[in-house]
Amino acid sequence: MSLISSISSSTPVSASPNWGQRARYHLHRNPLVALGLVIAALWIVIAFIAPAIAPVEPLKQNLANRLAVPGELFLMGSDELGRDIFSRVLWGSRITIPAGLAVIIIGSALGVIIGAVAGYAGGMIDELLMRLTELFMAFPFIILAMAVTAALGPDIQNAVIALCVVWWPRYARILRGLVLEVKAQEYVEAAHSAGAGGLYILFRTILPNCIAPAVILATLDIGTALISFAALSFIGLGPEPASPEWGRMVSIGIDFFDQWWMWLFPGLAIASLVMAFNFIGDGLRDILDPRLRGE
């Protein structure tokens, strides 16, 4: 006993690692997260500077060079109208990335608010909101998104609205369960006893302790949102046919399957971005998951 006491008294107790230290540890432990950050950052930068680095306008046609193979004249080849695929892929990042991020931001925020209100209010409000959530979850989300987009009309904005409409239920269910769990904690009862208002307790005491799982889920869902938006574009429910959107470009390329460059390069753009955000989501889960902090 004395030996244990002497060791414990002579050994300094290290402070628990902060968020930055955990992030550096997990980046070193999982290099795929760093790779995902690099790829995602590269595409975001490309989306900002695409007008400056694209060789030609994405809608410029040159029928004399239609279906040109990748080479010096066209780095990624040209399509059936002689448009430069490289320029169209660069410009497509300005459509697909903002659309996917908008779906995640709006859909997750809506789900977080609905789930938090349902869990905190309880009673009839909880029942109504959860039955509404289950109604939306009863349909496959991509089928429901197709129906909403078809009703609103094919358009980028309408596709984003449709995906937001079907995206929030899962976040609502998760946040409701977390709020119910946190609401029973002693510090929440102490806030009630101190006379804090309901909105203050919900948004300043309860939600900060529930938001981490929603952030992780949102990061992992960015890839799914990108694929879903591209899927709507692929079947003609996204932007207009001439738009340099990646899903639409893949759809057109399928009609010219022998000209592999027409569908390969926009498909690789989608795959690389989805892979990058999945890597980032996995790393963020490792950093924020309280079960892994002790490790």
Side-chain angles (χ1 to χ4, degrees):
M1 185 68 181
S2 59
L3 179 60
I4 297 176
S5 302
S6 61
I7 292 176
S8 60
S9 60
S10 60
T11 304
V13 178
S14 59
S16 60
N18 57 29
W19 191 92
Q21 291 172 328
R22 291 200 305 272
R24 288 192 297 270
Y25 167 75
H26 285 290
L27 285 176
H28 179 73
R29 180 186 179 189
N30 189 357
L32 290 179
V33 179
L35 177 62
L37 288 171
V38 170
I39 295 175
L42 179 62
W43 274 118
I44 292 173
V45 170
I46 289 175
F48 277 104
I49 66 175
I53 63 176
V56 296
E57 290 293 325
L59 301 180
K60 183 179 180 180
Q61 301 180 11
N62 187 355
L63 294 178
N65 293 317
R66 64 186 300 270
L67 300 178
V69 299
E72 294 183 1
L73 186 59
F74 297 100
L75 184 62
M76 294 183 178
S78 65
D79 62 10
E80 79 284 6
L81 297 177
R83 296 172 296 194
D84 182 30
I85 292 179
F86 178 64
S87 299
R88 290 174 63 80
V89 169
L90 295 181
W91 276 85
S93 62
R94 298 172 63 88
I95 300 175
T96 304
I97 295 176
L101 294 178
V103 169
I104 292 300
I105 293 173
I106 299 173
S108 62
L110 182 62
V112 165
I113 293 174
I114 292 176
V117 170
Y120 184 75
M124 185 60 67
I125 295 177
D126 183 22
E127 286 292 326
L128 290 175
L129 292 178
M130 286 302 101
R131 297 298 81 76
L132 179 64
T133 301
E134 292 171 357
L135 177 63
F136 276 88
M137 295 184 71
F139 300 92
F141 82 94
I142 191 63
I143 302 299
L144 187 57
M146 290 168 56
V148 175
T149 309
L152 296 176
D155 184 64
I156 296 177
Q157 182 178 353
N158 292 341
V160 172
I161 292 174
L163 288 173
C164 291
V165 167
V166 303
W167 213 269
W168 62 268
R170 185 160 58 140
Y171 291 86
R173 291 291 298 270
I174 292 175
L175 259 294
R176 174 184 177 270
L178 292 171
V179 168
L180 288 174
E181 181 179 350
V182 174
K183 188 172 68 170
Q185 299 297 319
E186 294 181 356
Y187 58 86
V188 177
E189 297 179 2
H192 277 293
S193 302
L199 290 178
Y200 179 89
I201 294 175
L202 176 59
F203 289 100
R204 296 297 298 273
T205 305
I206 296 179
L207 268 186
N209 293 284
C210 303
I211 205 67
V215 172
I216 297 171
L217 179 61
T219 307
L220 290 170
D221 270 356
I222 294 177
T224 307
L226 293 171
I227 292 178
S228 300
F229 180 78
L232 291 179
S233 299
F234 182 88
I235 61 178
L237 295 177
E240 61 276 6
S243 176
E245 198 279 324
W246 293 340
R248 190 63 181 168
M249 292 175 65
V250 173
S251 176
I252 296 174
I254 295 299
D255 295 332
F256 299 85
F257 195 79
D258 291 338
Q259 283 71 39
W260 51 267
W261 57 88
M262 288 185 59
W263 51 264
L264 176 63
F265 292 114
L268 287 177
I270 297 172
S272 64
L273 196 56
V274 171
M275 177 188 66
F277 280 113
N278 285 342
F279 288 161
I280 295 172
D282 288 338
L284 191 61
R285 178 185 57 196
D286 292 342
I287 295 171
L288 297 179
D289 192 339
R291 295 172 298 179
L292 301 176
R293 292 179 183 176
E295 300 177 5

